[in-house]
């Protein structure tokens, strides 16, 4: 027989788990030993909230489930923000946490089930030693197939108990099943496409996870469509000459103008929230919006037709239907051929804000755009600064973009997200962008990032305060002292932790990036960028009213 802790590690390793992140405590320290004993690589975080974000980012960049492990009680509650973000993002994370003893003698002052349920995280509890391996496998497969965080709870009094079950019952699916396209919905979509003159295909993260990129491109080429993506699916059509880039609030003005001319929009695996549709202002009022999603109801009232199926299955069925019916191909591409290469934010002029000792954030971001390695993973924290990398930096595919906090509107997860991304894709240089507020909130995980030894470029936009709050409430009676706290010596802090760093106040200071790359881009280089405060990202200036209204109904940090 085998101790429960060892049986868990053996089962998870045997089913393909390769990495775990966590903070050890009484309730999980022996479970961590079980993981490492069976070859699962373990990285110790500085905070449980960072550990779960690392596992989340690992999943986003690799598509593979990682373990986040914590103790019970406070160790578990420390995961709340990162776990909520992972749940909303539909990331496959296995949360291996301590739990109350089976004796009923409570040593934890919270109801862990209620806590996890409030975040939408299902619980699998190991209380029966005759089914422990099977239940462990069930929790892992549930996280994998349903693409969501799942908690595997370990009662404190059983962690060293001997497991009776020797082999797990392996009757569980390995991957999410594909939901086939329904003939009725496909036929209705084809009717709309039959009269389309300006079709647009919008790809979301669900389309990427489905592996639908090739099928969508083939469908678009047959229709003569233009392509766009949700923010979370940035890079889905990166190599295609007919891509308009990101749809919605981050869309460049001339790209948004073309999207607004579409008469039929096919959205595959995109949530179509108010950010993607710019609160409904992006599409023409008479445009037909067709949503393809695995969820049974539309995500917005703007949807005219819902196809409840897998993105790849829908694209394949639609392409077959277009060819069978010999639908005409749009000539829209011919009409926009001379405009398609001049649509990006880098083509939009701006009047530079120069104070002499602080750099315009647009100048900074454009200057770095030409220096970033092509094979990169871009990780961003939340906050006003995020507009700049979203506007000016591209990514090679959606797995190379990790926007932490986007689903839950939080800040402070950027450094932890960079760790998970760097561990997941060590073949790519990790580029992480943060505001000064979020960087200070998550600063302990900068040490973890440095400790990984991975190649990472850290860009901190330091405007001396909470930029989004200043944008939204600076002229509405807010106390400036509550939003502005002055500049921080991030470069000095990074050097103290063992990283290379530089303070950036002008474009000339960016030469350190060339030097770092020439020397192999090894380890962490942190750029402490002192940016001109008060420069509002164009992608946010038109959305200030929308954001304020949204916040009134959703009281979370922007």
């Amino acid at each position: 027989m085998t101790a429960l802790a060892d049986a868990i590690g053996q089962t998870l390793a045997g089913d393909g788990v390769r990495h775990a992140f966590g903070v050890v405590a009484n309730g999980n320290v022996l479970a961590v030993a079980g993981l490492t004993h069976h070859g699962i690589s373990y990285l110790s975080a500085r905070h449980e909230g960072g550990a779960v974000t690392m596992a989340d980012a690992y999943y986003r960049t690799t598509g593979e489930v990682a373990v986040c492990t914590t103790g019970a009680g406070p160790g578990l509650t420390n995961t709340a923000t990162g776990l909520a973000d992972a749940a909303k993002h539909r990331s496959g994370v296995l949360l291996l946490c301590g739990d109350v003893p089976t004796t009923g003698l409570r040593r934890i002052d919270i109801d862990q089930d209620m806590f996890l349920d409030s975040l939408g995280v299902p619980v699998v509890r190991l209380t029966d030693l005759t089914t422990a391996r099977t239940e462990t496998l069930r929790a892992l497969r549930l996280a994998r197939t349903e693409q969501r965080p799942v908690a595997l709870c370990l009662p404190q009094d059983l962690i060293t108990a001997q497991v009776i079950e020797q082999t797990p019952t392996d009757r569980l699916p390995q991957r999410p099943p594909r939901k086939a396209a329904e003939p009725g919905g496909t036929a209705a979509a084809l009717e709309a496409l039959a009269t389309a003159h300006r079709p647009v295909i919008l790809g979301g993260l669900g389309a990427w996870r489905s592996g639908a990129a090739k099928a969508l491109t083939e469908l678009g080429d047959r229709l003569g469509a233009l392509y766009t993506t949700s923010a979370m699916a940035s890079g889905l059509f990166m190599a295609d000459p007919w891509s308009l880039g990101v749809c919605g609030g981050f869309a460049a003005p001339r790209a948004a103008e073309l999207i607004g001319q579409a008469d039929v929009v096919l959205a595959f695996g995109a949530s179509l929230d108010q950010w993607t549709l710019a609160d409904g202002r992006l599409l023409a009022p008479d445009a037909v919006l067709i949503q393809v999603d695995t969820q049974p109801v539309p995500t917005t009232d703007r949807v005219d037709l819902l196809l409840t199926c897998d993105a790849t299955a829908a694209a394949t069925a639609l392409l077959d239907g277009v060819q069978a019916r010999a639908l005409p191909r749009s000539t829209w591409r011919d009409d926009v051929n001379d405009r398609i290469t001049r649509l990006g934010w880098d083509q939009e002029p701006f009047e530079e804000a120069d104070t002499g000792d602080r750099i315009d954030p647009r100048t900074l971001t454009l200057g770095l755009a030409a220096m970033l390695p092509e094979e990169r993973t871009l990780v961003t924290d939340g906050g006003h600064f995020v507009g700049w990398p979203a506007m000016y930096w591209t990514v090679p595919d959606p797995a190379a973009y990790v926007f932490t906090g986007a689903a839950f509107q939080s800040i402070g997860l950027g450094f932890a997200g960079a760790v998970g991304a760097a561990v997941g894709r060590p073949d790519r240089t990790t580029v992480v962008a943060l505001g000064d507020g979020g960087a200070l909130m998550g600063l302990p995980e900068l040490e973890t990032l440095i400790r990984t030894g991975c190649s990472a470029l850290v860009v901190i936009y330091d405007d001396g305060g909470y930029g989004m709050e200043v944008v939204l409430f600076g002229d509405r009676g807010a106390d400036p002292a509550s939003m502005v706290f002055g500049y921080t010596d991030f470069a000095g802090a990074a050097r103290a932790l063992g990283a290379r760093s530089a303070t950036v106040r002008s474009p000339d200071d960016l030469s350190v990036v060339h030097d770092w790359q020439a020397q192999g881009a090894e380890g962490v280089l942190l750029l402490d960028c002192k940016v001109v405060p008060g420069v509002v990202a164009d992608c946010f200036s038109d959305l200030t009213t929308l954001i304020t209204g949204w916040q009134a109904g959703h009281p979370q940090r922007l």
Side-chain angles (χ1 to χ4, degrees):
M1 292 191 292
T2 306
L4 178 60
D6 202 52
I8 291 169
Q10 186 179 45
T11 302
L12 295 179
D15 208 53
V17 173
R18 296 188 297 165
H19 286 279
F21 307 88
V23 177
V24 295
N26 291 342
N28 72 322
V29 64
L30 294 181
V32 170
L35 298 176
T36 58
H37 177 70
H38 290 282
I40 296 176
S41 177
Y42 174 75
L43 181 64
S44 179
R46 292 302 180 187
H47 190 277
E48 292 88 350
V52 73
T53 297
M54 293 171 196
D56 179 7
Y58 180 91
Y59 179 82
R60 298 194 204 189
T61 54
T62 67
E64 299 177 2
V65 174
V67 169
C68 166
T69 181
T70 75
L76 178 61
T77 58
N78 274 348
T79 68
T81 298
L83 189 57
D85 195 52
K88 288 178 176 292
H89 195 80
R90 297 191 62 84
S91 291
V93 172
L94 184 63
L95 177 62
L96 184 62
C97 60
D99 196 17
V100 295
T102 59
T103 59
L105 298 175
R106 299 187 63 84
R107 300 177 185 173
I108 303 170
D109 293 330
I110 67 162
D111 186 330
Q112 296 199 158
D113 283 12
M114 186 177 293
F115 168 78
L116 291 163
D117 182 66
S118 72
L119 300 176
V121 178
V123 174
V124 176
R125 180 166 282 101
L126 299 182
T127 58
D128 187 346
L129 298 174
T130 66
T131 60
R133 293 180 189 269
T134 295
E135 288 298 278
T136 297
L137 186 63
R138 182 169 73 88
L140 173 60
R141 297 280 179 88
L142 188 64
R144 185 179 289 152
T145 59
E146 294 196 3
Q147 299 178 341
R148 65 190 303 185
V150 175
L152 183 62
C153 294
L154 313 177
Q156 293 177 359
D157 58 328
L158 293 185
I159 196 66
T160 59
Q162 298 299 301
V163 172
I164 299 170
E165 183 186 30
Q166 295 302 304
T167 304
T169 302
D170 190 357
R171 299 173 184 167
L172 304 165
Q174 281 275 11
R175 297 294 172 188
R178 289 194 185 276
K179 186 174 178 58
E182 299 176 355
T186 301
L190 290 170
E191 288 297 323
L193 290 172
T195 58
H197 297 288
R198 295 177 300 280
V200 163
I201 289 180
L202 193 168
L205 189 60
W208 168 254
R209 289 180 174 176
S210 168
K214 183 175 183 294
L216 294 184
T217 301
E218 291 175 350
L219 175 62
D221 287 346
R222 176 59 182 79
L223 293 172
L226 302 182
Y227 304 103
T228 186
T229 73
S230 67
M232 293 297 101
S234 294
L236 183 63
F237 303 116
M238 180 63 189
D240 197 283
W242 303 106
S243 173
L244 302 174
V246 174
C247 185
F250 291 141
R254 280 176 274 192
E257 181 182 352
L258 287 177
I259 296 170
Q261 294 174 12
D263 53 7
V264 175
V265 177
L266 284 164
F268 293 84
S271 62
L272 300 182
D273 57 17
Q274 54 263 69
W275 301 99
T276 302
L277 297 181
D279 201 29
R281 295 180 289 109
L282 185 69
L283 304 183
D286 58 348
V288 176
L289 177 58
I290 302 170
Q291 183 177 27
V292 178
D293 201 271
T294 55
Q295 301 303 308
V297 294
T299 54
T300 172
D301 293 339
R302 180 64 180 79
V303 172
D304 298 294
L305 175 63
L306 174 68
L307 277 63
T308 307
C309 58
D310 173 78
T312 300
T316 302
L318 288 172
L319 179 58
D320 290 344
V322 168
Q323 293 172 336
R325 297 189 184 199
L327 296 188
R329 185 178 183 278
S330 168
T331 61
W332 197 17
R333 290 183 176 182
D334 297 331
D335 299 335
V336 302
N337 185 48
D338 61 335
R339 301 161 58 190
I340 200 75
T341 60
R342 296 180 286 108
L343 299 178
W345 281 107
D346 59 340
Q347 302 293 314
E348 298 294 327
F350 63 87
E351 183 176 348
E352 186 166 7
D354 184 7
T355 65
D357 62 343
R358 300 171 189 167
I359 189 169
D360 187 307
R362 295 162 294 190
T363 303
L364 166 68
T365 315
L366 274 169
L368 283 171
M371 301 180 182
L372 301 180
E374 290 187 12
E375 283 300 311
R376 61 179 179 263
T377 300
L378 173 61
V379 180
T380 62
D381 201 355
H384 171 258
F385 83 92
V386 79
W388 309 122
M391 289 162 61
Y392 295 117
W393 295 347
T394 60
V395 292
D397 54 56
Y401 185 43
V402 179
F403 186 174
T404 66
F408 197 44
Q409 299 299 305
S410 64
I411 68 172
L413 304 179
F415 281 130
V419 173
V423 171
R425 291 298 303 267
D427 57 315
R428 288 176 166 174
T429 295
T430 300
V431 178
V432 55
L434 315 92
D436 51 326
L440 288 169
M441 193 177 292
L443 191 60
E445 303 306 352
L446 171 59
E447 186 277 333
T448 311
L449 178 62
I450 295 168
R451 185 162 25 99
T452 67
C454 295
S455 174
L457 176 65
V458 178
V459 183
I460 298 179
Y461 292 75
D462 185 1
D463 63 1
Y466 292 121
M468 186 64 85
E469 281 66 27
V470 172
V471 168
L472 295 177
F473 301 105
D475 60 354
R476 297 175 60 204
D479 181 357
S482 69
M483 303 179 292
V484 179
F485 42 77
Y487 292 93
T488 301
D489 184 9
F490 289 105
R495 285 193 296 272
L497 292 173
R500 184 173 178 178
S501 67
T503 300
V504 176
R505 298 181 181 276
S506 73
D508 291 342
D509 296 326
L510 295 176
S511 61
V512 67
V513 179
H514 284 305
D515 297 340
W516 176 66
Q517 290 183 316
Q519 296 167 15
E522 295 181 352
V524 173
L525 170 62
L526 183 144
L527 302 180
D528 182 2
C529 306
K530 306 306 182 186
V531 299
V532 179
V535 180
V536 180
D538 291 349
C539 61
F540 286 133
S541 61
D542 291 339
L543 292 176
T544 300
T545 302
L546 165 64
I547 297 170
T548 306
W550 185 91
Q551 189 192 44
H554 299 75
Q556 299 153 352
R557 178 181 296 280
L558 289 168

